[in-house]
Amino acid sequence: MRQDSLYPDSSSTPEISRADRDRLTDLKTQIRHHDYLYYVKDQPEVSDGEYDRLFRELVELEQKHPELITPDSPTQRVGAPPLDELGKVRHEQPMLSLDSIVDPEEVLVFDQRMRRELETNRIEYTVEPKFDGLSVELVYDQGRFVRGSTRGDGSLGEDITINLRTIRSLPLQLHGENLPDHLAVRGEVYMRLGDFHALNRRMTERGLDAFANPRNAAAGSLRQLDSQITASRPLVVTCYEVMATGGPRPESHWDELEALIQWGLPVPVLRRRCDTIDQVLEFHRATEQQRDNLAYEIDGVVVKVNRGDWQARLGMKSRSPRWAIAFKFPPRKEITEVQDIAISVGRTGTLTPLALLKPVEVGGVTISRATLHNADEVARKDIRVGDTVRVERAGDVIPAIAERIPVPDETRSAPFQMPNACPVCSAAVAREGAYYYCTGQASCPAQLKGAIEHFASKAALNIEGLGKKTVAQLVDRGLVKDLSDLYRLDREHLLELEGFAERSSTLLLDAIAQSKTMPLDRFLMGLGIRQVGQHIAKVLAQEFGTLEAIMSADQDRLQQIREIGPEISASLCSYFQERSNRQVIDQLQKLGLSIQSRPPLSISTDLPFSGRSFVFTGGLIRMTRNEATSLVERLGGTVSSSVSRKTTYVVVGDEPGSKRDQAMKLGVQVLNEEEFERLMNRSGNT
Ligand code: IVH
């Protein structure tokens, strides 16, 4: 149904001239060819301007004769209306995963096993990069791209056809000799590094969160309900397996890749046929050396027995084939020196030790600091100033110190100790387990800056234009001493600041004024009370309805709420008992901040899930976590991140974590995604 809207039906169009018809075919062929050269071969032959000219001409011709628009036209990549949800697709063949190894010794073991099972000493392997993206299945009927899906749980994936259509390296129509009537192929969708960084720059400029790594960016872009968004994201695809064909298959994996190329599909450019396992090891070594110069992320190489009949003979285990293995690269590590250990003070006063490193490049990124988490961690790793350490960056994670290179103790500096006074405001430091806190609260400039940044952040009062740099200037110049001072700022104050002119001052003052009307939960969250994040703020707002009611609730009353235990209730009470905090809230209200109360929902026991709490673990196929959460919340339930005896249901998706085991242990009811959906549907939701 939806697809139809891509091909407009027009009954009264001008007569089509032969010349127009021929030109249209010619333009489509040319554009497809240039797409292929640009996106697949990375060797464009025309300028962007020339390409745009051809594209515009095609659009104009198609506007003149809409009945000539075919689904495989390059103009038809975008334009499908947004979906309400992603449908499910059952894969024709299970989409398996791969066993992985890191140690070269294990590759030799793999080779021995292959030789033993195939009873031969001459095995040909194909090796190619292991792309770090999102695995997809693409289906072509009569050469036309008809369906694409995510891997999901291996049998059931999500239908992302309209999103995949927007990827320019994905041909909408295949051509060539021996093209089967039906073809299902598997490949990886990913984002090139340059495109990923440019996308993140665009996102942050617009005040949106940046993606942590290219894989997340690709996954987030592909699982969109609105294909226009996917179209604006620079994704590419590479195919590496034929899953099913309507006819005979090529005899080997190598021939399969060659056939895919003939039919117009992109395949790994780096690939090699190896006669010996030594050649496999050599390819792995050479590819790892090349890794940092590649335009995309890879995390190893995939080794596959080349001959199709041998693959069939070897067969598969429950989740992975016996004839292939992922030979991963070890995480990127480099050696450097700890020049100093600094302490950063967070918004709640937590002191975090940070290793300041002699700058070193790890996998293309220069690293000059690594978090040491807390005092216990420093003690455990026994990191001291002057030590030589190995720093590690695995994929996206924040650099960490993997290990210290041991040297005799007498040559080392004194063991690290947490300070007794806050390095920023000199207030006394208090200790709670492994954590140390500055007791200076809002009189500590570091805490004040953090508190204001948090108050102004998107999830709280969303004051656009009040970023880190501006906050630092406001605090350092003494213009803002507590949250209420924000609402006392005027144009003259702002014009004093570096980088502020008339327009930027007006914009910030407007944004501050706009934040004066705020829903209770966002205001509560903005206060930055320890343990009170977005979710707990919502729970409190729903339960109590007004700020006054929350402020006057004692610990017993607070703990009557399912999600609130002794720690959160203690934190809330001590925050509201503090005179200075009450004064700031009072000042904020006097300055015109109007907190929108919510009618208490405790009367809403009529909602089907009132009083029931859910915990999700593992990936859901039918909906995103956010969608599932809002579904539960709409029906009066709550969603929590950890399992306790108070949890009503644990919903288990793909590759669940330890929460399932915990649920079993505590006797909490476990639901799979289907059961969860049924439960929702039974409750009047569709
Ligand atoms: S072959 C039956 N080849 O790695 C074999 N997989 O951990 C199917 N991957 O889920 C996989 N590059 O998403 C194969 N050249 C490549 C690959 C590749 C990346 C991914 C794939 C799979 C995961 C296995």
Side-chain angles (χ1 to χ4, degrees):
M1 282 291 279
R2 280 200 178 97
Q3 291 278 0
D4 289 348
S5 57
L6 288 170
Y7 322 122
D9 153 56
S10 179
S11 33
S12 57
T13 42
E15 192 140 319
I16 309 154
S17 74
R18 177 72 193 256
D20 276 358
R21 199 184 283 271
D22 289 350
R23 181 65 184 151
L24 205 105
T25 311
D26 179 41
L27 282 168
K28 287 201 279 196
T29 313
Q30 280 197 51
I31 292 170
R32 269 189 218 119
H33 177 64
H34 293 310
D35 275 345
Y36 180 74
L37 292 176
Y38 186 91
Y39 293 102
V40 179
K41 300 221 87 158
D42 209 6
Q43 287 167 348
E45 278 174 4
V46 292
S47 68
D48 289 356
E50 172 66 7
Y51 177 90
D52 290 346
R53 201 186 56 69
L54 293 171
F55 203 92
R56 265 200 311 277
E57 193 186 335
L58 177 61
V59 170
E60 279 162 19
L61 258 181
E62 286 183 341
Q63 273 168 356
K64 196 164 139 199
H65 302 299
E67 70 280 26
L68 291 186
I69 301 177
T70 54
D72 66 334
S73 166
T75 60
Q76 297 304 297
R77 288 189 178 269
V78 216
L83 304 174
D84 298 327
E85 61 173 10
L86 299 175
K88 267 188 193 172
V89 172
R90 188 162 290 283
H91 301 304
E92 295 173 35
Q93 298 281 329
M95 280 178 82
L96 302 174
S97 100
L98 293 172
D99 288 348
S100 67
I101 54 168
V102 178
D103 192 346
E105 290 289 318
E106 292 173 282
V107 177
L108 300 180
V109 173
F110 169 74
D111 179 47
Q112 277 160 8
R113 193 168 61 240
M114 294 300 103
R115 285 192 282 168
R116 198 175 51 244
E117 292 194 17
L118 294 168
E119 299 166 316
T120 171
N121 277 329
R122 294 177 58 91
I123 299 180
E124 196 176 50
Y125 294 105
T126 302
V127 281
E128 59 206 30
K130 182 170 181 311
F131 297 89
D132 198 6
L134 198 79
S135 186
V136 293
E137 183 191 51
L138 311 174
V139 178
Y140 288 86
D141 276 336
Q142 255 67 49
R144 179 189 287 181
F145 174 59
V146 289
R147 196 169 50 258
S149 53
T150 61
R151 176 168 179 271
D153 64 1
S155 323
L156 212 56
E158 278 174 329
D159 187 340
I160 47 167
T161 312
I162 59 167
N163 297 341
L164 286 165
R165 287 180 67 91
T166 69
I167 301 179
R168 295 213 159 252
S169 52
L170 185 150
L172 298 176
Q173 179 70 49
L174 304 180
H175 302 273
E177 270 176 41
N178 302 326
L179 176 67
D181 289 347
H182 177 78
L183 175 71
V185 294
R186 179 165 176 186
E188 200 87 353
V189 172
Y190 56 95
M191 205 177 273
R192 292 187 185 164
L193 284 160
D195 290 332
F196 162 72
H197 292 304
L199 171 67
N200 265 354
R201 270 198 301 280
R202 290 201 302 273
M203 304 277 285
T204 43
E205 270 163 21
R206 277 190 250 140
L208 301 170
D209 288 340
F211 288 106
N213 55 40
R215 184 171 10 91
N216 285 6
S221 302
L222 213 46
R223 297 184 63 248
Q224 291 285 340
L225 294 173
D226 183 353
S227 60
Q228 300 267 4
I229 299 179
T230 317
S232 71
R233 306 278 173 79
L235 298 170
V236 279
V237 66
T238 293
C239 301
Y240 46 67
E241 283 293 321
V242 171
M243 310 269 297
T245 70
R249 295 173 71 116
E251 283 181 2
S252 68
H253 179 63
W254 188 266
D255 292 347
E256 236 172 59
L257 295 179
E258 292 289 325
L260 294 178
I261 300 173
Q262 293 307 315
W263 299 330
L265 282 157
V267 303
V269 178
L270 291 176
R271 59 181 189 280
R272 182 170 168 191
R273 253 183 310 188
C274 300
D275 289 326
T276 64
I277 202 68
D278 281 343
Q279 289 176 356
V280 170
L281 287 163
E282 170 50 32
F283 180 84
H284 181 266
R285 245 191 320 271
T287 313
E288 190 179 1
Q289 269 169 16
Q290 249 181 305
R291 183 184 186 188
D292 294 336
N293 300 325
L294 292 179
Y296 45 90
E297 287 268 43
I298 62 173
D299 57 356
V301 302
V302 181
V303 186
K304 300 173 180 173
V305 168
N306 193 34
R307 271 176 60 167
D309 54 343
W310 284 359
Q311 290 185 357
R313 202 164 125 194
L314 289 159
M316 57 195 205
K317 296 188 280 185
S318 66
R319 290 178 69 95
S320 54
R322 282 208 178 79
W323 44 266
I325 197 139
F327 185 7
K328 303 246 275 195
F329 299 138
R332 294 159 155 140
K333 282 183 190 166
E334 288 299 334
I335 288 185
T336 188
E337 187 193 317
V338 177
Q339 294 183 318
D340 203 354
I341 297 180
I343 301 287
S344 86
V345 184
R347 97 183 138 78
T348 53
T350 316
L351 306 191
T352 306
L354 269 182
L356 303 185
L357 306 167
K358 188 166 165 210
V360 62
E361 227 189 78
V362 188
V365 176
T366 303
I367 287 174
S368 54
R369 46 177 58 204
T371 176
L372 290 167
H373 303 291
N374 57 45
D376 280 4
E377 174 84 356
V378 188
R380 192 176 61 77
K381 289 190 170 158
D382 188 17
I383 304 289
R384 307 185 194 177
V385 175
D387 281 350
T388 301
V389 291
R390 213 185 288 279
V391 283
E392 184 173 289
R393 194 175 72 89
D396 54 278
V397 294
I398 307 161
I401 293 187
E403 60 186 342
R404 179 170 65 78
I405 311 294
V407 289
D409 251 8
E410 53 279 16
T411 61
R412 303 175 66 206
S413 62
F416 169 77
Q417 284 201 321
M418 288 298 271
N420 295 322
C422 168
V424 178
C425 72
S426 308
V429 165
R431 179 171 185 179
E432 245 175 60
Y435 292 92
Y436 288 71
Y437 297 97
C438 158
T439 54
Q441 300 201 348
S443 66
C444 174
Q447 289 192 54
L448 178 58
K449 285 176 194 171
I452 298 170
E453 281 166 25
H454 176 78
F455 187 70
S457 67
K458 238 180 142 57
L461 277 81
N462 192 18
I463 307 179
E464 223 177 300
L466 195 55
K468 220 177 170 69
K469 274 193 196 153
T470 309
V471 171
Q473 291 195 68
L474 290 170
V475 172
D476 292 342
R477 286 167 193 255
L479 292 170
V480 173
K481 297 201 181 64
D482 64 44
L483 294 178
S484 69
D485 284 339
L486 286 176
Y487 296 88
R488 297 193 179 91
L489 289 172
D490 61 24
R491 187 172 303 274
E492 276 64 49
H493 289 136
L494 294 185
L495 287 172
E496 268 180 44
L497 307 183
E498 228 171 81
F500 269 81
E502 285 292 339
R503 196 178 135 67
S504 37
S505 308
T506 310
L507 286 177
L508 180 52
L509 288 174
D510 283 354
I512 294 176
Q514 263 186 24
S515 73
K516 279 189 170 177
T517 311
M518 237 340 102
L520 174 56
D521 58 329
R522 301 222 342 233
F523 176 77
L524 253 186
M525 135 96 187
L527 290 177
I529 305 168
R530 249 186 237 166
Q531 319 260 10
V532 181
Q534 228 168 339
H535 176 65
I536 294 294
K538 261 193 215 165
V539 171
L540 287 166
Q542 283 198 339
E543 177 75 21
F544 289 97
T546 67
L547 182 63
E548 290 64 35
I550 298 171
M551 287 174 73
S552 50
D554 62 15
Q555 290 211 37
D556 284 347
R557 169 66 187 94
L558 286 164
Q559 284 184 41
Q560 283 168 10
I561 302 164
R562 175 177 291 272
E563 304 223 15
I564 296 187
E567 283 186 20
I568 303 181
S569 63
S571 167
L572 277 160
C573 288
S574 86
Y575 183 90
F576 289 122
Q577 265 156 24
E578 177 75 38
R579 226 181 59 168
S580 60
N581 291 336
R582 298 183 85 100
Q583 275 170 349
V584 171
I585 292 171
D586 185 49
Q587 286 296 309
L588 282 168
Q589 287 178 318
K590 287 203 170 109
L591 286 159
L593 198 92
S594 145
I595 301 157
Q596 307 296 296
S597 304
R598 247 197 213 181
L601 269 190
S602 41
I603 39 152
S604 66
T605 32
D606 47 328
L607 281 174
F609 288 117
S610 297
R612 291 197 242 176
S613 76
F614 290 72
V615 171
F616 293 99
T617 174
L620 300 180
I621 297 170
R622 297 272 297 172
M623 56 184 99
T624 64
R625 272 283 171 93
N626 280 344
E627 285 159 1
T629 303
S630 62
L631 199 61
V632 169
E633 287 178 351
R634 271 211 310 274
L635 294 172
T638 54
V639 174
S640 149
S641 54
S642 55
V643 185
S644 74
R645 281 179 210 288
K646 293 183 189 172
T647 309
T648 327
Y649 303 109
V650 170
V651 182
V652 174
D654 193 22
E655 295 184 14
S658 61
K659 287 174 195 161
R660 182 182 46 186
D661 304 337
Q662 248 169 305
M664 304 279 211
K665 234 195 309 184
L666 295 173
V668 174
Q669 191 174 347
V670 174
L671 303 177
N672 64 24
E673 195 174 347
E674 256 173 56
E675 290 163 335
F676 169 67
E677 268 196 1
R678 244 179 282 137
L679 184 71
M680 292 285 136
N681 291 338
R682 266 210 307 275
S683 307
N685 213 290
T686 44

